[in-house]
Amino acid sequence: MIAGLVAVSPPTSAEAPHGAQQAPAEARPSAKTPTAIGKGGAVSTVDPEASAAALKVLKQGGNAVDAAVAAAATLGVTEPYSAGIGGGGYFVHYDAKSGKVSTIDGRETAPKKMPNDAFIDPATGKAYNFTPELVTSGVSVGTPGTAATWDRALKKWGTLSLADALKPAIKVATRGFKVDDTFREQTLDNEERFRAFKATKKLFLPKGDAPKVGSIFTNPELAATYTDIGERGIKKAFYQGPLAKLMVDVVRKPRTTKGTDLPVPKGYLSRSDLKDYKVLGQAPSKVSYRGYDVYGMAPSSSGGSTVGEALNILERTDFTGKTPVQVLHTYLEASALAFADRAKYVGDPRYVDVPLPQLLDDKFAAERACVIDPAKASVKPLAAGDVASYDGVCPPAPAAGGTEAEDTENISTTNLTVVDAAGNIVEYTLTIEQTGGSGMVVPGHGFLLNNELTDFSTVYDAADPNRIQPGKRPRSSMSPTIVLKDGKPFLALGSPGGSTIITTVLQMLVNRIDLGMTVQEAIAAPRTSPRNTATVSSEPEFITAYGAALAALGHQLVPAGDAFTSAAEIGAATAIELGPNGQLTAVSEPVRRGGGSARVVDPK
Ligand code: GLU
């Protein structure tokens, strides 16, 4: 334990071994429940422990924000490779009393001393490789925003103190959770780099191996860290003081093991970056789509702008009497168009001018929709539209082709949805970027640091809105979304999956609103991820169902899966639909990522 931390009740590393160990006889929620229908509050996450934590808070009278923080903190324990206090995220809140949607941008920021050429190796003058150099590095660690997000959300809308909201997570970290296939697989996928850091190896490869499926994994050091944050507050226990100093040390001088030959570039994080970190409260993005009001995350995420623009483009087509293939064709085209504009125009608005009103203008969408031929796929990549001059009238000749945008966003992250008895809603996506983040556990504290700054463009270009700039937030794709109908909440949804987050949320909305699926069907349906590339990465089941018909229109669908993951699946969404008479339908993935956990307070 680090000198200077106050004593805490959960066992410290000196008192109890961490990692996989024997199960004490105590109930551990592990059942996967893809759908739950009922009243009085609901939650959906990827993980039974996290959903149980939120449900307990709701049952004890806590509100959606209390429950969301409890679930998120628990995900930091049970899904430590996807999320935690070493990372950041975006929190969208619907307040039942005022009917207002607000957001918290808890995105990681670039250190103030991070130079534009941080991704060039000073030793060689050449760009670092993305893998392994940038992915496993200090240079990609951004100032974490998650602890500050929880603190802000609770202070603004919660009823619990941070200490109380963290209690369920502290309990899970102390008594341990059951290791499932996903946890073991994700550990094995990261084995080489986890072995490269002493603290990571000790925590996640406890006996030289990834924890076995069915064994119990405890993390007393994380329990102690959470306890300290709860007792002394985020400033003293996280953003300043010994833990802050330790994070800075680790980033600036990564603590590698002797045997590793992984190159691990040093980073720029400083104590003043941590001390000065602030979440941003900002207005949500908003579009109206076929009578629904769709609220999302404004930049620095590209989620709200890209989902919103694509919906506006889709709305130009009347789907009455159209076949599913025609609807999907339009979705493929609209999404590609919105991605072209995302690449050209979206970055952190504190650093670059983001034309959000134009991107979400129906007239702009009308002009973009001119590219869509109902009988034929356009040639990708498409060029961006011109936000400086448009009038909604189709130009005589289509714009010349564009370039494929670099896409280095990774498939990790986690998402959760909570509704309480009063009808307040939280949609929250949080991440440490790559599965396993930077690979660096903060010694003695049980959590991984993010590698979020890999979300900046790796090649510096002064015209690129997502170029590296000191203090800037890298562009995200996280798309926590809340949909109202006639001023009343209808649906909340979100997903992990890097840039496929946008298409997952968009396709689920199309499934639900345009293809008439139930929310259960909308989440389970096979996915395709049109991101303005020549070939469109798609789940094999999607190709089986629609491949031939869409190929006839000129779409080239290829199986999903990339250099980082062999999984041919896209996203791992959660959603809650709010029906008449207070009925809630909470849904999680039936299959993807091993299936999720949807729960309601009073099951039907
Ligand atoms: N870093 C990604 C983003 O901000 C999220 C990573 C993921 O979902 O895997 O959009």
Side-chain angles (χ1 to χ4, degrees), residues 174-418:
T174 307
R175 65 134 159 87
F177 64 91
K178 215 185 225 169
V179 170
D180 64 4
D181 290 315
T182 308
F183 189 85
R184 178 166 170 87
E185 256 165 49
Q186 289 182 340
T187 313
L188 290 174
D189 287 347
N190 280 287
E191 196 174 343
E192 188 193 359
R193 60 200 204 107
F194 282 5
R195 268 191 209 294
F197 302 99
K198 286 174 227 158
T200 316
K201 193 173 148 200
K202 189 170 150 220
L203 180 60
F204 294 126
L205 299 163
K207 287 178 193 143
D209 182 24
K212 296 242 168 349
V213 174
S215 66
I216 302 304
F217 189 89
T218 64
N219 192 341
E221 292 176 345
L222 181 58
T225 307
Y226 277 173
T227 305
D228 191 38
I229 290 173
E231 282 173 358
R232 295 196 301 137
I234 58 163
K235 255 196 198 152
K236 287 192 179 140
F238 189 84
Y239 286 102
Q240 297 175 31
L243 174 51
K245 179 175 181 309
L246 184 60
M247 287 192 274
V248 167
D249 288 351
V250 166
V251 169
R252 292 187 158 237
K253 242 196 233 162
R255 298 184 181 182
T256 48
T257 43
K258 282 215 181 77
T260 186
D261 46 18
L262 273 186
V264 182
K266 295 176 180 148
Y268 298 91
L269 188 71
S270 72
R271 292 177 78 174
S272 89
D273 289 316
L274 285 158
K275 185 165 159 277
D276 296 344
Y277 181 84
K278 282 195 177 51
V279 296
L280 303 172
Q282 54 183 5
S285 63
K286 183 193 169 195
V287 298
S288 300
Y289 182 66
R290 304 191 201 275
Y292 297 85
D293 290 320
V294 181
Y295 293 87
M297 198 64 225
S300 55
S301 182
S302 62
S305 66
T306 312
V307 170
E309 182 189 344
L311 288 173
N312 282 343
I313 297 170
L314 276 157
E315 204 178 18
R316 313 328 298 176
T317 305
D318 180 359
F319 286 148
T320 320
K322 293 272 195 295
T323 64
V325 169
Q326 287 166 325
V327 173
L328 289 168
H329 165 67
T330 317
Y331 153 70
L332 284 157
E333 296 294 275
S335 180
L337 286 161
F339 266 85
D341 296 327
R342 166 188 182 267
K344 177 151 184 199
Y345 296 115
V346 185
D348 180 347
R350 293 180 313 147
Y351 287 77
V352 295
D353 200 9
V354 183
L356 187 62
Q358 289 88 328
L359 290 172
L360 296 181
D361 186 348
D362 274 326
K363 253 195 204 157
F364 183 65
E367 202 159 306
R368 295 298 276 148
C370 300
V371 173
I372 303 178
D373 178 343
K376 198 163 96 226
S378 58
V379 178
K380 317 286 184 317
L382 293 159
D386 184 358
V387 292
S389 127
Y390 61 89
D391 54 13
V393 178
C394 289
T403 46
E404 259 181 40
E406 180 194 33
D407 187 352
T408 55
E409 284 179 42
N410 218 310
I411 312 298
S412 172
T413 310
T414 196
N415 184 78
L416 61 96
T417 314
V418 185

Side-chain angles (χ1 to χ4, degrees), residues 82 90 107-108 301-302 342 408-414 429-435 451-452 454-455 474-479 495-501 593:
S82 295
Y90 296 92
R107 183 68 161 170
E108 298 92 329
S301 182
S302 62
R342 166 188 182 267
T408 55
E409 284 179 42
N410 218 310
I411 312 298
S412 172
T413 310
T414 196
T429 316
L430 61 161
T431 187
I432 56 172
E433 164 52 14
Q434 171 108 13
T435 305
N451 60 350
E452 208 68 54
T454 57
D455 278 1
R475 176 174 62 213
S476 170
S477 297
M478 289 187 259
S479 311
S495 176
S499 54
T500 71
I501 293 172
R593 277 224 204 157

